[in-house]
Amino acid sequence: MKNFHPIVWNWFQKAIGEPTEAQKLAWPQIKDNKNVLISAPTGSGKTLSAFFSIIDDLIQKGLNGTLEEKTYVVYVSPLKALSNDIEKNLRYPIRGLSEKLEENGQPEVHLNVGLRTGDTTPYQRTAMFKKHPHILVSTPESLYILLTSVSGRKMLSSVETIIVDEIHALVGDKRGSHLSLSIERLAHLIQHPLRRIGLSATQKPIEKVACFLTGSPDVKNPNCEIINVGHKRKLDLAIDVPRSPLSPVMANEVWEEVYDRLEVLIHSHKTTLIFVHTRRLAERMAHNLGNRLGKEFITAHHGSMSKDHRLDAEMRLKEGQLKALVATASLELGIDIGGIDLVCQIGSPRSIASFLQRIGRSGHHIGGTPKGIAFPLSMDELAECVAVIHAIKRGELDELIIPEKPIDILAQQLVAELAGDDYDEDTLFALVKKSYSFRNLERKEFDDILVMLSEGYTTRRGRRSAYIHHDVVNKKLRARKNARLTSLTSGGAIPDNFDYDVIMEPTGIFV
């Protein structure tokens, strides 16, 4: 690895060891300033595949006296918990490299890592704007907010690289479409080429994911170096079926059998991670297992819990204080949560990628063997579990379907971008078309959205929701006064809740 600083490379060999295949292939491409998409199994060092050569570049800037107090790298992850985890894990190599430089009599190089998610306190956000971090760790929604705010745009104007982790979790829904437009807005803001790096263990078709990352409309020429070392690892998988017959609805006695089996498994393993599909079930299962094993050894983890509770649960799990943790998808992706021996999936995993990611939390280190057990709760789920495990053994993956030009996402992003700068119609249309999700957007569709955003719509109380001024003669666009506040408070593609009113017709009675 001749392009690395000798001290940096020496630290890696002593602290980490030999690089993995993904790292060996990725680092030269990133050093050449190319867009890179990395597909490698969980626990194969993907994070350092993306970050280590960039950290080396920043350290060399520091040693040369050219490291400025500005943001060079934005790292985006789909989960707040994953963002918190990466921010902590980045500090380990940065701290180790700082000590190594000091040992060798080199000047001090202070690399700052900042965290901006929904968990970040107002004080931390203000401090970040006063002293810009060299590496910013964020989520898609927080990146959108930064791109819309005045201080956020100023901080992001110096960015050179964006890293999108667990990209497969974003590509297949509107949240990914939202992020793709944010990336193009960032590229337009910085006015110089934006290096893009994507990471995931489960990507199919990988060429389309590469196009999503770079915005290239041509699958045969994605303008991206694809590093695919596979997603398969040696796995220890099983299905556990209760003694009582499975039925469409689980009876209480069957649940008792599931709890009995989980209790045996938890006792026979050091740390067990249990995945469920709903937040209510996570808390109920944690309560019932706590009554059996001790409340201090079992807890729940999901997105609706407070930041303090989630961080405490993650820390206790890493430190080995918990025997088991019951979680929703909030812990599904590449979080380093310590020495997990076993992953239990309650119910069908519903997808190949989801099951691979979840069982990958166990044995989450180079050379480790993930161990997972599925607990189907009905005959249909039993069939699904068998199909998923059979597909994994054949090396198959779910095919990702990328949403095509969702206009609700486009309307959000248009208002947000105009809140930051004035545009002419053609320039704004060209920016939108650079997003892979909107590559097929017709000009008439774009113009229709501009009409809606500039004229609003009629209600009983008059016209409302006009957010932009549209000069149709000169083809100029600018935001109204309410545009920025509306964009900051109403952005994103995650619904506020998943509840629906059930109304009995024709009486109109609320059920």
Side-chain angles (χ1 to χ4, degrees):
M1 299 300 168
K2 58 183 179 181
N3 290 330
F4 285 93
H5 191 282
I7 295 175
V8 173
W9 183 239
N10 181 261
W11 175 87
F12 182 90
Q13 289 183 307
K14 289 187 176 180
I16 309 294
E18 286 301 309
T20 63
E21 184 181 359
Q23 290 166 351
K24 289 178 182 177
L25 294 173
W27 288 338
Q29 304 295 343
I30 295 172
K31 282 286 187 182
D32 286 342
N33 207 35
K34 294 180 180 178
N35 299 321
V36 179
L37 179 64
I38 303 168
S39 178
T42 56
S44 61
K46 288 192 300 297
T47 303
L48 281 182
S49 298
F51 266 117
F52 197 67
S53 62
I54 294 172
I55 291 174
D56 175 69
D57 289 342
L58 294 177
I59 284 178
Q60 293 198 41
K61 283 179 183 288
L63 294 175
N64 295 333
T66 59
L67 183 68
E68 301 177 47
E69 194 176 283
K70 64 182 185 181
T71 302
Y72 291 89
V73 183
V74 173
Y75 167 92
V76 178
S77 74
L79 296 179
K80 289 185 289 188
L82 182 53
S83 297
N84 287 317
D85 186 70
I86 291 296
E87 192 263 351
K88 292 174 186 173
N89 289 341
L90 273 179
R91 296 194 188 280
Y92 169 68
I94 289 172
R95 186 173 59 250
L97 288 168
S98 296
E99 293 171 356
K100 197 72 175 175
L101 290 170
E102 186 179 352
E103 287 177 14
N104 285 269
Q106 296 291 329
E108 285 186 308
V109 179
H110 296 289
L111 296 185
N112 297 317
V113 180
L115 180 66
R116 176 61 168 87
T117 70
D119 289 339
T120 312
T121 64
Y123 172 79
Q124 291 171 320
R125 294 173 191 177
T126 304
M128 187 182 300
F129 294 139
K130 291 179 180 178
K131 184 178 182 181
H132 296 170
H134 297 115
I135 301 173
L136 175 66
V137 180
S138 188
T139 61
E141 291 70 33
S142 292
L143 175 61
Y144 162 84
I145 290 172
L146 289 172
L147 283 165
T148 308
S149 68
V150 175
S151 51
R153 289 175 72 84
K154 182 180 178 182
M155 181 173 68
L156 293 175
S157 62
S158 59
V159 169
E160 298 174 355
T161 303
I162 185 166
I163 300 171
V164 183
D165 201 358
E166 304 296 356
I167 193 171
H168 79 279
L170 296 165
V171 169
D173 58 28
K174 288 184 179 181
R175 200 172 172 215
S177 305
H178 196 272
L179 175 63
S180 73
L181 280 174
S182 291
I183 293 174
E184 297 308 330
R185 289 176 61 198
L186 176 62
H188 181 80
L189 173 67
I190 64 177
Q191 296 296 310
H192 57 254
L194 176 67
R195 177 172 53 183
R196 309 172 192 211
I197 301 172
L199 306 172
S200 181
T202 49
Q203 306 174 56
K204 180 185 175 183
I206 195 167
E207 293 79 13
K208 278 191 177 180
V209 178
C211 288
F212 173 89
L213 178 67
T214 63
S216 171
D218 185 1
V219 176
K220 295 180 180 178
N221 182 27
N223 187 28
C224 181
E225 297 295 327
I226 298 175
I227 295 171
N228 186 3
V229 296
H231 63 276
K232 294 183 70 174
R233 295 175 68 186
K234 182 180 179 182
L235 303 173
D236 183 356
L237 303 178
I239 297 175
D240 199 298
V241 181
R243 294 186 302 274
S244 302
L246 291 170
S247 60
V249 179
M250 286 278 281
N252 284 334
E253 59 268 21
V254 183
W255 271 114
E256 288 300 314
E257 291 179 23
V258 172
Y259 285 125
D260 289 341
R261 179 64 177 146
L262 286 173
E263 186 177 354
V264 171
L265 289 170
I266 291 169
H267 278 308
S268 60
H269 293 82
K270 183 181 177 182
T271 312
T272 302
L273 183 57
I274 302 170
F275 281 106
V276 297
H277 288 304
T278 66
R279 297 168 180 180
R280 182 179 297 177
L281 181 56
E283 296 193 14
R284 188 177 75 199
M285 184 163 280
H287 173 76
N288 290 333
L289 288 172
N291 289 337
R292 291 166 172 254
L293 301 167
K295 298 286 186 183
E296 68 274 21
F297 299 120
I298 310 288
T299 192
H301 186 290
H302 58 70
S304 292
M305 289 182 164
S306 69
K307 167 190 171 184
D308 292 339
H309 181 96
R310 284 185 281 112
L311 291 178
D312 178 67
E314 292 165 24
M315 191 57 61
R316 289 167 63 197
L317 188 67
K318 285 184 180 182
E319 294 175 353
Q321 297 176 17
L322 293 177
K323 290 183 178 178
L325 179 64
V326 188
T328 58
S330 59
L331 285 181
E332 176 178 309
L333 302 176
I335 302 170
D336 181 10
I337 39 182
I340 303 295
D341 298 301
L342 173 68
V343 171
C344 295
Q345 168 65 54
I346 307 301
S348 167
R350 299 178 182 171
S351 77
I352 302 168
S354 178
F355 197 42
L356 281 171
Q357 291 287 347
R358 292 182 177 191
I359 60 177
R361 299 313 100 219
S362 63
H364 193 256
H365 55 85
I366 297 170
T369 301
K371 182 178 182 181
I373 300 177
F375 286 77
L377 303 180
S378 67
M379 289 300 294
D380 287 343
E381 289 192 348
L382 175 59
E384 287 183 24
C385 290
V386 171
V388 167
I389 291 178
H390 187 51
I392 289 173
K393 289 183 176 179
R394 294 199 309 269
E396 295 182 359
L397 284 174
D398 308 288
E399 184 162 343
L400 294 165
I401 299 174
I402 301 175
E404 285 285 328
K405 52 187 178 184
I407 60 173
D408 54 339
I409 298 300
L410 178 57
Q412 275 186 39
Q413 292 278 18
L414 288 178
V415 175
E417 182 63 10
L418 287 169
D421 200 0
D422 297 346
Y423 278 83
D424 63 71
E425 292 176 9
D426 295 337
T427 303
L428 189 57
F429 181 62
L431 187 156
V432 170
K433 291 274 287 184
K434 289 179 180 178
S435 162
Y436 184 77
S437 297
F438 295 91
R439 69 197 182 282
N440 296 322
L441 183 71
E442 299 292 338
R443 183 58 188 256
K444 185 180 184 305
E445 295 171 312
F446 177 78
D447 291 339
D448 288 344
I449 293 173
L450 291 182
V451 171
M452 179 196 72
L453 294 175
S454 60
E455 296 182 0
Y457 56 87
T458 304
T459 68
R460 291 180 180 179
R461 298 180 180 180
R463 299 194 71 80
R464 58 175 296 179
S465 297
Y467 298 114
I468 65 174
H469 291 288
H470 187 188
D471 181 349
V472 294
V473 176
N474 297 305
K475 297 186 176 182
K476 299 294 183 181
L477 299 162
R478 61 185 177 88
R480 293 177 183 265
K481 288 183 179 180
N482 60 339
R484 192 187 303 276
L485 180 60
T486 302
S487 298
L488 291 172
T489 55
S490 307
I494 302 175
D496 289 336
N497 58 64
F498 299 90
D499 297 331
Y500 296 87
D501 291 345
V502 179
I503 308 297
M504 185 182 295
E505 294 294 351
T507 58
I509 298 173
F510 176 76
V511 179

